[in-house]
């Protein structure tokens, strides 16, 4: 556990992230560098202010999106080119473990939709597979049980 007694002064800084990628990270500043810095600080959210449930659900949605693309569910003509079931299996298994572990912490109102999305991905994976896994052996099913 982090306490003031076991942290060095350098560790007292607050960590934050920006919803937009930083384009000026190469040490270059525009002519209005101060204004750009102020806008960047205004756009950043302090990680300390972000509720854990938001961080957890955002991470789960990122895993779901990546798994959907790897299952061939992407929008566009190149969806089948992006399909990679080996990668999809890894992402779905990681998502299943993540959702299973997080569910008691985030509550059923947040975990329910994540479980529904996970189940849809597991079924999409089975449908996309030339040789479907046996029930209970599909991606993430060691965490969720067999999906039908």
């Amino acid at each position: 556990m982090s306490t003031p007694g076991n942290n060095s002064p350098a560790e007292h800084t607050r960590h934050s992230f920006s919803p937009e990628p930083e384009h000026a990270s190469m040490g270059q500043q525009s002519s209005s560098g101060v204004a750009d810095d102020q806008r960047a600080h205004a756009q950043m959210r302090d990680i300390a202010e972000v509720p854990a449930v938001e961080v957890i659900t955002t991470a789960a949605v990122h895993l779901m999106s990546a798994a959907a693309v790897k299952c061939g569910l992407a929008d566009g003509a190149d969806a089948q080119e992006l399909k990679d079931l080996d990668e999809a299996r890894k992402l779905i298994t990681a998502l299943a473990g993540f959702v299973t572990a997080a569910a008691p912490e985030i509550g059923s109102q947040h975990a329910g939709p994540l479980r529904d999305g996970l189940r849809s991905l597991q079924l999409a994976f089975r449908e996309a597979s030339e040789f479907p896994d046996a029930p209970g052996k599909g991606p993430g099913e060691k965490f969720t049980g067999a999906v039908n």
Side-chain angles (χ1 to χ4, degrees), residues 5-52:
N6 66 5
N7 287 332
S8 68
E11 292 176 349
H12 290 286
T13 59
R14 297 181 75 135
H15 301 281
S16 60
F17 66 92
S18 172
E20 300 293 325
E22 293 183 28
H23 297 291
S25 63
M26 302 298 273
Q28 302 171 347
Q29 286 197 358
S30 67
S31 60
S32 61
V34 174
D36 289 344
D37 286 345
Q38 289 172 343
R39 276 193 298 274
H41 287 293
Q43 291 177 348
M44 286 195 282
R45 290 179 65 188
D46 192 353
I47 286 179
E49 296 173 6
V50 179

Side-chain angles (χ1 to χ4, degrees), residues 7-140:
N7 287 332
S8 68
E11 292 176 349
H12 290 286
T13 59
R14 297 181 75 135
H15 301 281
S16 60
F17 66 92
S18 172
E20 300 293 325
E22 293 183 28
H23 297 291
S25 63
M26 302 298 273
Q28 302 171 347
Q29 286 197 358
S30 67
S31 60
S32 61
V34 174
D36 289 344
D37 286 345
Q38 289 172 343
R39 276 193 298 274
H41 287 293
Q43 291 177 348
M44 286 195 282
R45 290 179 65 188
D46 192 353
I47 286 179
E49 296 173 6
V50 179
V53 68
E54 184 178 335
V55 175
I56 292 166
T57 55
T58 300
V61 168
H62 284 290
L63 286 168
M64 280 185 191
S65 297
V69 169
K70 299 296 184 176
C71 282
L73 301 175
D75 286 337
D78 63 344
Q80 290 303 308
E81 294 174 23
L82 300 173
K83 185 174 168 180
D84 184 339
L85 294 180
D86 183 50
E87 290 290 303
R89 178 182 296 278
K90 293 171 189 172
L91 290 163
I92 294 169
T93 300
L95 176 63
F98 186 65
V99 170
T100 301
E105 304 301 324
I106 64 176
S108 61
Q109 70 274 20
H110 297 288
L114 296 177
R115 285 188 188 114
D116 291 344
L118 170 60
R119 183 177 184 279
S120 295
L121 286 169
Q122 289 171 311
L123 292 172
F125 181 91
R126 178 165 290 145
E127 187 176 309
S129 298
E130 288 184 39
F131 305 102
D133 296 315
K137 301 295 183 185

